[in-house]
């Protein structure tokens, strides 16, 4: 959480008008508005993060149940980054809607804004994504109906939800890989080592009895209540470490491992895992047990919360080192460092605007999942844009342009008489692209990351006579549809890799976002859309076609069509 709002802005929602003239409202959308009262606030007059989590979980659960038409329980909540604090007298506005439904689970997007009733100004507090699971009321198994996106925003969230789901499944693997390759560093100097705080001094343990007011309409302990209790004990551990008033900044993913019921005792434990100069991580877990079987505890949840603190001048405090406890303490210490690295990767690869970071983010195994996510989601977001302008038609291809601020993007569409699966396999094999695209001389395989992600070194002839050839290091990510109606997708973006450093004889260029979406129209017909966002290295190749100075695009489209037709019966392998 930030100590104070730096800039307030009114949030306006674009209207989507239906054919009958009515204003469209998402059928799963649920809104909650709460006036922050003293009973909701902490000693500083700011809204308790635990109370906010309870409101968020309630709103999201109601949205999930509106779509599922049956009881739903919280399975997990993705990382939350609180951008601002909220004060007594302000209004919290929470909006939740189902982004996508899978078999028995669904992703619910949550938007939290704050409102000043006196000025009418509103500003964003945070976004969150929660996964809910539908519970059958009888013997049958729940099969959720699909979500039908209507607006461009809904189409984007629907499309990217599948990629977020993929990223969640890889999260624990990434943590394990980072921890297995890490070691606890020696303390930097004697003075810092002497000031290190034993982690044991921050340990907090508390117990809560689950009463009827804490239960939901299914008699299980309300997920938001569990999260609120966890935030409370984590804050106590944080205050013991910083000897002040800690402010919660981020929460790593909540993952519910099991339910608890009225009458259960919830045992809560928290401890500071690691400190990072201006912030520190607190780990907290919740276990449930019955009074008659106190020795049979069930681990129901774990979470990791990052805090900071402000001094009397409003500046960030600097914290001493943490001395981890032997055994599990050292493991938690290393895992905290791994989670910090992941947060940085997520911030600079996923969360920030593309103009704020280098295009070619260094690739390594620990950020593989996030680079792949960024690669695919960027293409999906570009594909869902609505304001494409038809620029010209050449033979069987249509060339569209899209101008948004400083970004210029291009889309080429054509239809081929080849089965979509075969088109996908042929276009996925980048080593053959030079056979039909004269803009590329060679795609050389550098590293096969996994079955769906590959890194290539690409060499392209220069568009200007006498100039050096250009080269790119590209991450190619392909995705098959995860549901009927989804396209096949091949995404490309630049990365940097020590195995392919820039050289003097080639001009290193970058690709911001590019790739193919493939839609099956009939058994033997495929609609192909190729997208690319212009960068200085790419721009000259495209603008010549737009302005009529070149017919290269027409030739490339014809060559691609011919390549696919000639190879529609061959077996192609993605490398």
């Amino acid at each position: 959480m930030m100590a104070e709002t730096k800039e307030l802005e009114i949030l306006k929602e674009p209207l989507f008008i239906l054919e009958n003239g009515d204003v469209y409202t998402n059928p799963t959308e649920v809104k909650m508005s709460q006036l922050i009262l003293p009973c909701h606030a902490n000693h500083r007059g700011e809204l308790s993060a635990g109370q906010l989590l309870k409101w968020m979980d309630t709103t999201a659960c109601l949205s999930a149940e509106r779509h599922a038409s049956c009881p739903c329980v919280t399975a997990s909540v993705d990382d939350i980054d609180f951008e601002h604090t909220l004060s007594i007298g302000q209004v919290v506005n929470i909006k939740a809607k189902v982004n996508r439904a899978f078999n028995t689970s669904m992703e619910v997007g949550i938007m939290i804004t704050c409102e000043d009733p006196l000025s009418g100004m509103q500003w964003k507090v945070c976004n969150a994504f929660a996964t809910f699971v539908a519970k059958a009321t009888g013997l049958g198994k729940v099969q959720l109906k699909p979500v039908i996106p209507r607006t461009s925003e809904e189409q984007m969230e629907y499309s990217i939800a599948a990629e977020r789901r993929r990223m969640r499944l890889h999260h624990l693997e990434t943590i394990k890989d980072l921890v297995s390759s890490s070691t606890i560093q020696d303390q930097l100097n004697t003075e810092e080592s002497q000031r290190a705080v034993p982690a044991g001094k921050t340990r907090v343990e508390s117990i809560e009895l689950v009463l009827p007011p804490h239960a939901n309409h299914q008699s299980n302990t309300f997920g938001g209540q569990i999260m609120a209790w966890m935030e409370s004990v984590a804050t106590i551990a944080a205050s013991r470490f910083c000897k002040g008033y800690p402010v919660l900044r981020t929460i790593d993913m909540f993952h519910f491992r099991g339910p608890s019921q009225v009458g259960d005792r919830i045992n809560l434990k928290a401890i500071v895992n690691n400190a990072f100069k201006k912030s520190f991580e607190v780990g907290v877990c919740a276990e449930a047990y019955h009074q008659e079987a106190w020795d049979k505890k069930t681990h129901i949840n774990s979470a990791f919360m990052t805090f900071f603190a402000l001094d009397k001048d409003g500046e960030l405090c600097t914290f001493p080192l943490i001395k981890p406890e032997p055994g599990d303490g050292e493991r938690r210490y290393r895992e905290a460092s791994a989670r910090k690295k992941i947060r940085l990767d997520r911030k600079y690869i996923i969360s920030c605007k593309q103009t704020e970071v280098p295009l070619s983010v260094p690739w390594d195994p620990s950020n593989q999942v996030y680079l792949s996510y960024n690669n695919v989601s960027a293409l999906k977001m570009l594909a869902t844009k609505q304001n494409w302008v038809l620029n010209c038609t050449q033979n069987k291809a249509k060339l569209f342009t899209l101008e948004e601020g400083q970004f210029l993007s291009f889309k080429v569409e054509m239809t081929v008489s080849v089965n979509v699966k075969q088109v996908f396999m042929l276009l996925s094999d980048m080593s053959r692209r030079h056979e039909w695209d004269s803009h590329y001389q060679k795609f050389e395989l550098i590293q096969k990351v996994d079955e769906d992600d590959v890194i290539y070194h690409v060499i392209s002839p220069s568009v200007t006579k006498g100039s050096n050839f250009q080269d790119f290091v590209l991450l190619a990510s392909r995705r098959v549809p995860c549901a009927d109606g989804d396209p096949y997708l091949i995404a490309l973006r630049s990365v940097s890799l020590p195995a392919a450093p820039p050289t003097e004889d080639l001009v290193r260029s970058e690709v911001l976002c590019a790739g193919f979406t493939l839609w099956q129209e009939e058994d033997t017909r495929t609609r192909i859309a190729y997208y690319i966002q212009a960068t200085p290295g790419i721009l000259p190749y495209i603008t010549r076609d737009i302005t009529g100075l070149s017919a290269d695009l027409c030739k490339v489209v014809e060559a691609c069509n011919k390549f696919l037709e000639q190879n529609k019966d061959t077996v192609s392998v993605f490398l």
Side-chain angles (χ1 to χ4, degrees):
M1 287 180 167
M2 298 301 292
E4 36 180 70
T5 56
K6 295 182 178 179
E7 181 180 0
L8 305 184
E9 55 181 15
I10 297 176
L11 302 176
K12 296 181 179 179
E13 299 180 11
L15 298 179
F16 183 78
I17 308 299
L18 299 173
E19 293 180 359
N20 62 5
D22 293 340
V23 176
Y24 168 74
T25 301
N26 188 298
T28 70
E29 183 176 288
V30 173
K31 293 182 178 179
M32 176 188 287
S33 293
Q34 294 280 356
L35 177 65
I36 303 174
L37 301 174
C39 61
H40 302 138
N42 57 25
H43 54 281
R44 295 194 304 273
E46 297 169 352
L47 175 65
S48 161
Q51 180 62 64
L52 179 57
L53 289 169
K54 290 168 68 173
W55 287 337
M56 290 167 59
D57 190 61
T58 300
T59 311
C61 182
L62 293 174
S63 175
E65 293 185 344
R66 178 174 287 187
H67 179 75
S69 299
C70 67
C72 296
V73 296
T74 313
S76 66
V77 180
D78 287 4
D79 300 357
I80 304 174
D81 189 354
F82 297 100
E83 298 180 18
H84 299 295
T85 55
L86 299 89
S87 303
I88 293 174
Q90 294 176 336
V91 175
V92 180
N93 296 311
I94 304 172
K95 182 173 71 174
K97 57 183 174 60
V98 177
N99 290 331
R100 184 160 187 164
F102 299 95
N103 292 327
T104 60
S105 67
M106 69 202 93
E107 179 190 276
V108 180
I110 311 166
M111 164 71 83
I112 298 91
T113 60
C114 186
E115 176 185 348
D116 183 348
L118 300 181
S119 66
M121 301 295 287
Q122 296 188 33
W123 58 96
K124 177 184 171 184
V125 176
C126 64
N127 276 84
F129 298 97
T131 301
F132 282 81
V133 175
K135 293 294 185 182
T137 53
L139 298 177
K141 185 178 180 181
V142 174
Q143 179 64 47
L144 292 171
K145 61 186 177 184
V147 170
I148 302 175
R150 300 294 294 273
T151 68
S152 59
E153 179 187 355
E154 288 177 3
Q155 290 168 3
M156 180 186 69
E157 293 294 355
Y158 175 90
S159 184
I160 300 175
E163 199 61 22
R164 279 192 290 262
R165 188 187 192 204
R166 177 189 179 99
M167 188 168 63
R168 290 181 197 111
L169 298 176
H170 284 82
H171 181 76
L172 290 178
E173 294 179 16
T174 304
I175 293 286
K176 290 178 182 177
D177 290 343
L178 282 170
V179 170
S180 64
S181 61
S182 70
T183 57
I184 295 183
Q185 297 180 351
D186 294 333
Q187 308 299 353
L188 298 179
N189 54 55
T190 305
E191 182 179 350
E192 280 195 308
S193 177
Q194 291 176 348
R195 291 179 57 235
V197 176
K201 288 188 175 182
T202 69
R203 184 181 297 277
V204 177
E205 187 167 349
S206 182
I207 193 167
E208 298 283 354
L209 173 62
V210 181
L211 300 173
H214 303 140
N216 59 22
H217 47 299
Q218 303 163 54
S219 298
N220 291 326
T221 312
F222 178 44
Q225 181 64 67
I226 296 289
M227 291 189 284
W229 284 334
M230 294 174 73
E231 185 271 337
S232 179
V233 295
T235 301
I236 296 172
S239 62
R240 288 182 178 177
F241 175 66
C242 70
K243 300 187 184 306
Y245 303 123
V247 180
L248 179 61
R249 178 57 191 268
T250 62
I251 302 176
D252 279 28
M253 181 183 290
F254 281 103
H255 182 73
F256 287 89
R257 292 175 167 82
S260 60
Q261 292 82 33
V262 172
D264 283 356
R265 277 67 173 167
I266 306 297
N267 195 45
L268 301 145
K269 299 178 182 178
I271 191 171
V272 175
N273 290 331
N274 205 338
F276 310 104
K277 294 293 184 184
K278 302 292 185 180
S279 65
F280 56 95
E281 181 194 277
V282 177
V284 56
C285 74
E287 299 172 319
Y289 66 93
H290 293 286
Q291 184 177 17
E292 306 81 37
W294 62 267
D295 57 334
K296 295 181 180 179
K297 296 179 182 178
T298 303
H299 184 190
I300 60 173
N301 205 334
S302 290
F304 305 95
M305 306 183 187
T306 301
F307 292 83
F308 66 85
L310 302 173
D311 60 22
K312 61 182 180 180
D313 298 321
E315 299 296 327
L316 290 173
C317 296
T318 301
F319 303 110
L321 298 172
I322 275 286
K323 183 178 180 181
E325 297 177 323
D328 278 350
E330 295 176 349
R331 173 186 56 79
R332 292 193 298 268
Y333 183 96
R334 290 193 294 268
E335 288 179 349
S337 296
R339 279 186 290 270
K340 180 176 176 60
K341 183 191 185 305
I342 287 174
R343 283 193 296 273
L344 291 173
D345 287 342
R346 289 171 64 92
K347 179 179 179 181
Y348 290 107
I349 295 173
I350 298 174
S351 303
C352 286
K353 296 178 181 178
Q354 292 164 317
T355 54
E356 295 176 352
V357 294
L359 302 186
S360 298
V361 176
W363 182 92
D364 66 59
S366 66
N367 68 10
Q368 164 196 335
V369 174
Y370 309 106
L371 274 170
S372 178
Y373 169 86
N374 174 266
N375 192 18
V376 174
S377 61
L379 180 59
K380 288 185 173 183
M381 285 190 284
L382 186 59
T384 57
K385 300 289 185 181
Q386 299 293 306
N387 47 341
W388 290 95
V389 176
L390 178 61
N391 190 274
C392 62
T393 301
Q394 297 184 15
N395 250 2
K396 298 180 179 180
K398 295 179 179 180
L399 176 60
F400 299 81
T401 57
L402 173 66
E403 294 186 55
E404 289 186 318
Q406 60 182 311
F407 288 110
L408 177 63
S409 303
F410 305 91
K411 176 174 70 170
V412 181
E413 280 190 350
M414 68 175 182
T415 302
V416 297
S417 300
V418 183
N419 179 269
V420 66
K421 292 183 179 179
Q422 186 66 8
V423 173
F424 178 62
M425 293 302 296
L426 289 168
L427 295 183
S428 294
D429 189 356
M430 295 293 171
S431 63
R432 300 189 65 181
R433 184 158 175 172
H434 68 279
E435 295 181 31
W436 57 270
D437 192 344
S438 59
H439 294 137
Y440 298 95
Q441 185 184 63
K442 182 172 65 173
F443 266 80
E444 179 186 1
L445 175 67
I446 299 178
Q447 184 169 345
K448 184 174 182 180
V449 179
D450 55 34
E451 292 300 317
D452 294 320
D453 293 271
V454 174
I455 300 176
Y456 291 99
H457 182 224
V458 184
I459 298 178
S460 297
S462 174
V463 72
T464 306
K465 291 183 179 180
S467 299
N468 287 355
F469 280 24
Q470 294 187 102
D471 72 334
F472 305 82
V473 178
L474 298 180
L475 171 65
S477 304
R478 73 172 190 169
R479 297 290 186 270
V480 298
C482 69
D484 292 340
D486 286 355
Y488 289 81
L489 185 141
I490 306 164
L492 301 167
R493 67 152 291 161
S494 286
V495 295
S496 60
L497 204 65
T503 59
E504 294 182 357
D505 57 330
L506 294 171
V507 178
R508 176 58 54 89
S509 299
E510 296 179 308
V511 170
L512 180 63
C513 172
F516 299 90
T517 59
L518 312 175
W519 302 85
Q520 179 177 322
E521 295 194 332
E522 300 174 7
D523 287 345
T524 58
R525 283 180 65 82
T526 301
R527 175 164 54 92
I528 302 173
Y530 177 68
Y531 299 86
I532 188 164
Q533 280 189 327
T535 58
I538 297 295
L539 193 61
Y541 294 94
I542 305 296
T543 52
R544 289 169 62 87
D545 287 275
I546 292 177
T547 55
L549 297 176
S550 170
D552 287 347
L553 175 62
C554 182
K555 295 177 182 177
V556 169
V557 169
E558 290 178 353
C560 182
N561 201 347
K562 185 178 179 180
F563 168 78
L564 294 173
E565 288 277 359
Q566 290 177 340
N567 293 276
K568 62 182 179 181
D569 297 320
T570 62
V571 177
S572 181
V573 180
F574 176 68
L575 294 176

